[in-house]
Amino acid sequence: MTPENTLSIYGSHDASVTFIDKFKQLRIYEYERFIKKRFAMFSSSFDHRNDYGSNQNERINFIKLIKKNLLNQNIESILYSELNTNDINLLLEYFPNASFKKIGHHFAHACSGYYSSKFDDAIIFSIDGGGTDNNSVATTKIYKGTLNNITELPCDNSLDFGNPYSATGFPISEIKPGAEGPTSQHSLAYAGKVMGLCAYGRVIDEWIVPFNTYYDQNNLSELCHAISIPYSFNSIKEEDSYNLAATSQYTFEKKLNNLIVPYVLKYNTNIVLVGGCALNVLYNQKLFELLQEKGLNIYVPPNPNDCGQSYGMYLSEFPEYGKKEMVYNGLEILDFDKINDYISKYNHEDFTYEKIVDYLKEGKIIGIINDNSEVGPRALGNRSIICDPSFPEMKDILNSKVKFREWYRPFAPVCRLEDKDLYFSNSCESKYMSYAPKVKSEYENQLKSIVHIDKSTRLQTTTSEQHTLFNGILLELKKRKEIPVILNTSFNIKGFPILTTLEDAFSVLNNTELDLIVTNSMIFKKTLK
């Protein structure tokens, strides 16, 4: 088995594949971006599901795209998880010499985090909605990473943090149903919305005991009965909704601390956090602050949830590839061969940082689609929508007229790494938007569109090595003595994954209040020639 003749593939929700491409780069292709369906499942086991399932033609076309971009067409090893016999037979049609090796779910999470962390020693917490290792399902697993070796530590594998947290979105009217529709308690879209809403509420003391029981037993109907709210979809609103979300976040954090802190005290080493629960930036920030007091560090990869499964499986065999930055190694622009059609049709001008900052200061909203996509659920500059957060109405405009999502959803700021402590309190390097520091009080009004109601904000830090375009924009702002912070959100619209075609980007330009598109060193305008 060599890196060049191996690929890894994960078949359940947030499916992805990892391989070495013809330019000798590690690539991670997320299936949802290819078939334009959020949380998409590759395996035919899920074809019956209208929410995340796919079909045989989509699978075949995805495999053809992978095969077209491989360095070594003779794939001899396929690492996999959540594939059935039909899926394996399909892959064998295109890779007839391949042998298959199954990798455990939580072990793959652990590999994705530890081997990309640059830590020699760490305790790794894989905290997810569920996954199979060695034929047994677990929601939580703990590992120790030492000198490139990962060993499992004993813990209660049934501890469940993600499912109870997510399910509290079910009765909340302000949280719209995901693709599963109103019959599902466990929409994959709920958790992020609960996190956004919880800042508007307060922890209800009388609910704490029932919530502790709920997190132990994962029975939403019993929780609703215990705290006297209706157990039905979208049954509560406003204050009750906000308080339910806030109390769930509080319980989630306390329960996680009960798990993690004893390991911190016992091992006095760094922490790697993976699994879907590692997307909870509010908790990540608090854990960062706790570890900082002890001189320890935390690492959360850009793709800690299941979209990082294939990456973790690949690193389980080739851990050395974790040392290479891979966050911008996702899907290329799939229809870039059509760029000349847009050049001939739309008014455009050459890109300069001066022009971009001029547009930002005019209040323009700009979509960016450049190079390869980011991996993971956060847009980090290659599939981003940016604007100037000093315009106080920007949050509402983006939510209602560009993104078409709930009013309370917050937006993220970007600043240069060396400027983070000027504008944010208790901030750390946050290349992947993994933490939520507070905005300093003196800048709250000047950066209103990226300040959440609790003063938190999901910060992205950047350097010239990480992202030339963002760094150049921020430097130009600083040169003009403006606050060098921009608002960044994903280039997509509600219900669809981050886009990766020019066709979709220009559709957003034409059908929303997006003003401009940046691609291929050009700035495109709404107006036609």
Side-chain angles (χ1 to χ4, degrees):
M1 186 185 297
T2 66
E4 294 80 11
N5 68 15
T6 301
L7 66 82
S8 60
I9 183 165
Y10 177 68
S12 189
H13 67 79
D14 297 290
S16 67
V17 64
T18 298
F19 61 95
I20 303 296
D21 76 1
K22 54 193 173 186
F23 303 107
K24 299 185 179 180
Q25 295 292 314
L26 184 77
R27 299 298 293 277
I28 304 167
Y29 282 3
E30 293 174 49
Y31 190 50
E32 67 165 25
R33 314 264 179 102
F34 180 74
I35 70 168
K36 303 180 184 180
K37 181 182 281 191
R38 285 195 74 192
F39 312 117
M41 298 166 158
F42 176 87
S43 176
S44 60
S45 297
F46 310 108
D47 282 2
H48 63 286
R49 293 186 58 166
N50 293 325
D51 48 7
Y52 309 138
S54 59
N55 61 53
Q56 190 78 341
N57 283 337
E58 289 169 327
R59 283 187 286 274
I60 289 171
N61 288 334
F62 190 56
I63 294 169
K64 286 180 177 178
L65 176 68
I66 296 160
K67 194 168 177 65
K68 174 184 172 184
N69 287 292
L70 284 168
L71 172 64
N72 185 347
Q73 296 294 314
N74 183 29
I75 292 296
E76 296 178 355
S77 303
I78 296 179
L79 312 172
Y80 78 97
S81 178
E82 299 291 345
L83 298 181
N84 62 29
T85 301
N86 290 334
D87 305 327
I88 290 172
N89 288 336
L90 175 63
L91 288 164
L92 284 169
E93 290 181 27
Y94 292 88
F95 307 111
N97 298 322
S99 61
F100 287 76
K101 180 178 179 180
K102 191 172 185 179
I103 307 293
H105 186 95
H106 288 278
F107 183 66
H109 274 316
C111 291
S112 75
Y114 174 64
Y115 291 125
S116 63
S117 71
K118 317 297 191 294
F119 295 152
D120 287 332
D121 295 288
I123 302 298
I124 311 151
F125 293 87
S126 177
I127 304 168
D128 209 12
T132 303
D133 289 67
N134 300 322
N135 298 316
S136 63
V137 176
T139 46
T140 298
K141 286 206 171 186
I142 303 172
Y143 302 84
K144 193 172 191 310
T146 305
L147 298 175
N148 272 356
N149 289 304
I150 296 175
T151 55
E152 187 175 348
L153 298 176
C155 81
D156 182 353
N157 298 151
S158 68
L159 290 171
D160 192 353
F161 303 91
N163 288 308
Y165 184 88
S166 176
T168 51
F170 178 72
I172 295 176
S173 296
E174 288 83 359
I175 293 179
K176 305 305 180 190
E180 301 96 333
T183 59
S184 175
Q185 282 185 23
H186 297 291
S187 167
L188 293 170
Y190 281 167
K193 299 179 181 186
V194 171
M195 186 170 60
L197 191 63
C198 72
Y200 291 85
R202 59 187 178 87
V203 177
I204 305 299
D205 290 341
E206 309 91 84
W207 290 2
I208 291 175
V209 171
F211 256 96
N212 276 314
T213 302
Y214 167 59
Y215 268 78
D216 290 337
Q217 299 178 358
N218 197 14
N219 189 318
L220 183 62
S221 64
E222 287 189 6
L223 171 68
C224 292
H225 177 75
I227 64 176
S228 301
I229 66 168
Y231 171 59
S232 58
F233 177 71
N234 279 189
S235 57
I236 61 172
K237 61 182 179 180
E238 297 175 348
E239 189 174 359
D240 283 343
S241 289
Y242 312 154
N243 295 342
L244 188 76
T247 310
S248 190
Q249 177 71 29
Y250 171 86
T251 309
F252 175 87
E253 291 176 1
K254 293 296 182 183
K255 290 279 191 180
L256 268 180
N257 273 347
N258 288 344
L259 172 70
I260 292 174
V261 170
Y263 287 87
V264 173
L265 297 175
K266 178 177 179 179
Y267 289 98
N268 192 40
T269 191
N270 301 311
I271 297 296
V272 171
L273 202 57
V274 286
C277 292
L279 294 175
N280 193 300
V281 296
L282 299 176
Y283 179 73
N284 294 354
Q285 178 68 27
K286 292 179 180 177
L287 183 58
F288 157 71
E289 292 173 7
L290 184 152
L291 292 170
Q292 185 183 44
E293 292 175 1
K294 300 180 179 299
L296 304 174
N297 294 309
I298 178 175
Y299 176 75
V300 180
N303 49 356
N305 58 330
D306 284 3
C307 68
Q309 276 284 299
S310 71
Y311 176 59
M313 288 190 279
Y314 199 90
L315 294 189
S316 73
E317 294 291 337
F318 310 108
E320 66 273 16
Y321 278 86
K323 306 305 178 187
K324 303 176 181 181
E325 182 60 84
M326 52 70 203
V327 69
Y328 297 106
N329 287 7
L331 275 169
E332 58 270 23
I333 301 173
L334 294 175
D335 60 351
F336 196 72
D337 58 327
K338 302 292 196 304
I339 184 65
N340 287 331
D341 295 344
Y342 297 97
I343 291 172
S344 66
K345 184 177 180 182
Y346 285 85
N347 283 310
H348 61 276
E349 58 187 331
D350 291 340
F351 172 93
T352 68
Y353 294 117
E354 292 82 2
K355 288 175 185 175
I356 288 296
V357 171
D358 285 343
Y359 285 129
L360 290 174
K361 298 314 292 184
E362 291 172 11
K364 302 297 187 186
I365 302 171
I366 303 170
I368 299 170
I369 175 169
N370 272 334
D371 303 319
N372 298 328
S373 177
E374 308 87 336
V375 302
R378 317 292 195 206
L380 301 170
N382 283 13
R383 302 289 185 273
S384 287
I385 292 173
I386 64 170
C387 59
D388 183 349
S390 68
F391 289 85
E393 69 276 12
M394 275 300 180
K395 176 183 172 183
D396 292 336
I397 290 172
L398 283 168
N399 272 330
S400 64
K401 297 180 179 180
V402 178
K403 302 278 286 186
F404 304 111
R405 63 181 199 172
E406 296 90 342
W407 58 269
Y408 57 85
R409 303 283 295 279
F411 291 103
V414 185
C415 77
R416 295 169 70 233
L417 178 62
E418 54 264 53
D419 291 336
K420 66 181 177 60
D421 295 324
L422 294 175
Y423 306 105
F424 305 95
S425 301
N426 293 323
S427 60
C428 61
E429 183 173 21
S430 184
K431 297 190 288 186
Y432 314 132
M433 291 188 189
S434 301
Y435 309 96
K438 303 273 184 165
V439 177
K440 288 189 172 179
S441 58
E442 59 265 39
Y443 293 104
E444 287 174 14
N445 289 328
Q446 297 176 72
L447 297 172
K448 198 163 186 178
S449 286
I450 52 90
V451 182
H452 203 27
I453 192 172
D454 61 355
K455 315 305 179 190
S456 70
T457 188
R458 192 179 68 201
L459 177 63
Q460 177 190 353
T461 60
T462 190
T463 66
S464 58
E465 292 78 21
Q466 288 166 229
H467 205 273
T468 303
L469 188 148
F470 271 4
N471 196 71
I473 293 171
L474 295 166
L475 281 173
E476 178 63 22
L477 283 164
K478 195 161 194 173
K479 176 181 168 184
R480 299 187 189 192
K481 301 191 184 310
E482 303 282 357
I483 298 176
V485 175
I486 56 176
L487 184 155
N488 173 25
T489 187
S490 56
F491 200 170
N492 69 321
I493 56 173
K494 184 177 183 291
F496 289 88
I498 293 173
L499 57 77
T500 193
T501 64
L502 294 173
E503 179 184 15
D504 289 340
F506 279 88
S507 177
V508 175
L509 181 68
N510 294 328
N511 294 291
T512 74
E513 293 200 10
L514 189 75
D515 295 300
L516 302 160
I517 286 176
V518 170
T519 188
N520 195 37
S521 299
M522 288 179 285
I523 303 170
F524 286 85
K525 303 178 180 181
K526 280 182 181 286
T527 54
L528 300 178
K529 287 185 174 178

